[in-house]
Amino acid sequence: MDRLQAMRIFVTVVNEGSFVQAAEKLDVSPQLISKSLAQLEDHLAARLLNRTTRRQHLTEAGSAYFARAQQVLADIDDMELQLSGLQQSARGVLRISAPVSFAILHLAPLVCAFQEAYPEVVVDLQLNDRKVDIIEEGFDIALRIGKLESSSLIAKRIAPVRLVYCAAPDYLAREGLPVDLAALREHRYLHYSYMDESFVPSAAQVMRSNNGDVLVAAACEGAGIALQPTFIAADALRSGRLQTVLSEFEPEPIALYAVFAHRQLLASKVRAFLDFIDGYFGDPPYWDSY
């Protein structure tokens, strides 16, 4: 008995719902399907399917075997696709969703370098700070920043992201330096709408926005204190238009992730981009050298 073939026949029978449809799918006779399943059950010493003239049902053993067999077959297909993909160049349209500020400030050089390396890939880059449904909306990859919630999606960590409290020197000269987070209650706070609530201090929110560039610009004008990622605030910090405060209370770094739907059977264009972006920004990333 060819165990791999028997496994594939069994999975196809379950997915197709009948011996006849599985036989048509695999282009073999129903008799071969029946014989293969009988041999597989004999080999496993367990009944996998309860069969009647019209219907079939997975047994408890069949359900367990089906789940594992699907994964084994997917892993084998993925391995073969990767090996064959080594001889093929990435091509096609690669749809990427990315956060607005990060993309504007840091993605253009990466995309240009990627397309130079893979000229047959067309990058469709869509900017949005909301969490897109990559499957429903047809994205290959979503770049996301923050602490990711548990989901069925696969996440690859790309770079750490520091969050710093910062304000303009003239604001701090006028209002004073906060000594701890509690002191922020006496200050004007510029709030990012999508910020994780655990990072939000008890402060008077005099401005809120769903765009970090606007908040950093407002902070530079002396409007208050902002908690922003260094990939946005680095230029202002480097030039002295902003300075960090409360450094000892800086939140734990979050991260930039590349999120995609399946680990198995990745298209060459997706795998090429994931490999290309891995390590591209550095660790620590280049924007933290202010």
Side-chain angles (χ1 to χ4, degrees):
M1 178 187 67
D2 184 331
R3 291 170 62 188
L4 186 60
Q5 182 192 35
M7 186 184 296
R8 196 175 295 278
I9 285 173
F10 169 68
V11 168
T12 305
V13 167
V14 175
N15 286 331
E16 295 298 318
S18 77
F19 283 25
V20 172
Q21 288 175 298
E24 291 177 356
K25 178 84 172 181
L26 297 172
D27 194 23
V28 297
S29 68
Q31 291 76 17
L32 178 61
I33 298 285
S34 180
K35 180 180 179 181
S36 175
L37 285 177
Q39 289 177 336
L40 181 60
E41 289 177 327
D42 287 343
H43 173 74
L44 297 172
R47 180 172 289 277
L48 302 177
L49 288 168
N50 285 323
R51 301 179 282 276
T52 65
T53 54
R54 292 189 177 182
R55 304 187 65 182
Q56 60 191 30
H57 303 278
L58 282 169
T59 64
E60 183 178 358
S63 294
Y65 187 79
F66 175 69
R68 296 296 297 273
Q70 273 195 312
Q71 186 61 56
V72 168
L73 293 171
D75 287 343
I76 291 172
D77 290 343
D78 184 41
M79 176 184 65
E80 292 178 348
L81 187 66
Q82 287 183 46
L83 291 174
S84 64
L86 292 175
Q87 308 303 321
Q88 300 172 3
S89 61
R91 66 186 65 200
V93 177
L94 179 67
R95 298 198 70 228
I96 304 171
S97 171
V100 177
S101 294
F102 184 83
I104 291 172
L105 293 170
H106 302 288
L107 276 191
L110 181 148
V111 170
C112 290
F114 174 75
Q115 291 191 294
E116 203 171 308
Y118 297 96
E120 294 185 79
V121 177
V122 176
V123 176
D124 180 359
L125 180 62
Q126 300 293 318
L127 309 189
N128 203 315
D129 285 333
R130 69 178 175 83
K131 291 183 178 178
V132 300
D133 186 322
I134 65 175
I135 297 175
E136 288 293 324
E137 298 179 50
F139 286 101
D140 296 298
I141 297 171
L143 298 181
R144 291 180 181 168
I145 295 169
K147 294 181 177 179
L148 298 187
E149 300 173 358
S150 177
S151 76
S152 60
L153 301 175
I154 309 301
K156 180 183 178 71
R157 184 181 181 275
I158 302 301
V161 173
R162 283 181 61 208
L163 298 170
V164 295
Y165 293 100
C166 53
D170 62 341
Y171 171 85
L172 297 172
R174 184 174 72 246
E175 302 293 339
L177 281 167
V179 296
D180 55 28
L181 293 180
L184 284 174
R185 297 189 184 96
E186 309 303 320
H187 283 268
R188 298 165 65 83
Y189 183 67
L190 312 175
H191 177 62
Y192 178 58
S193 304
Y194 294 130
M195 184 69 72
D196 187 314
E197 289 300 318
S198 64
F199 297 142
V200 179
S202 299
Q205 296 178 15
V206 297
M207 179 179 175
R208 62 171 56 230
S209 175
N210 65 353
N211 182 265
D213 293 285
V214 171
L215 296 174
V216 166
C220 288
E221 294 298 318
I225 296 175
L227 176 61
Q228 281 295 302
T230 53
F231 69 74
I232 297 179
D235 282 348
L237 291 167
R238 192 177 296 115
S239 66
R241 289 175 293 146
L242 292 179
Q243 68 182 68
T244 58
V245 296
L246 299 169
S247 297
E248 63 271 39
F249 299 100
E250 184 178 304
E252 285 293 316
I254 51 179
L256 168 70
Y257 294 92
V259 179
F260 49 101
H262 302 289
R263 193 183 302 277
Q264 290 85 22
L265 304 180
L266 280 179
S268 295
K269 61 184 179 182
V270 177
R271 193 178 301 281
F273 184 83
L274 293 173
D275 290 342
F276 193 87
I277 196 174
D278 188 22
Y280 181 89
F281 300 112
D283 191 354
Y286 64 79
W287 52 76
D288 278 342
S289 61
Y290 56 84

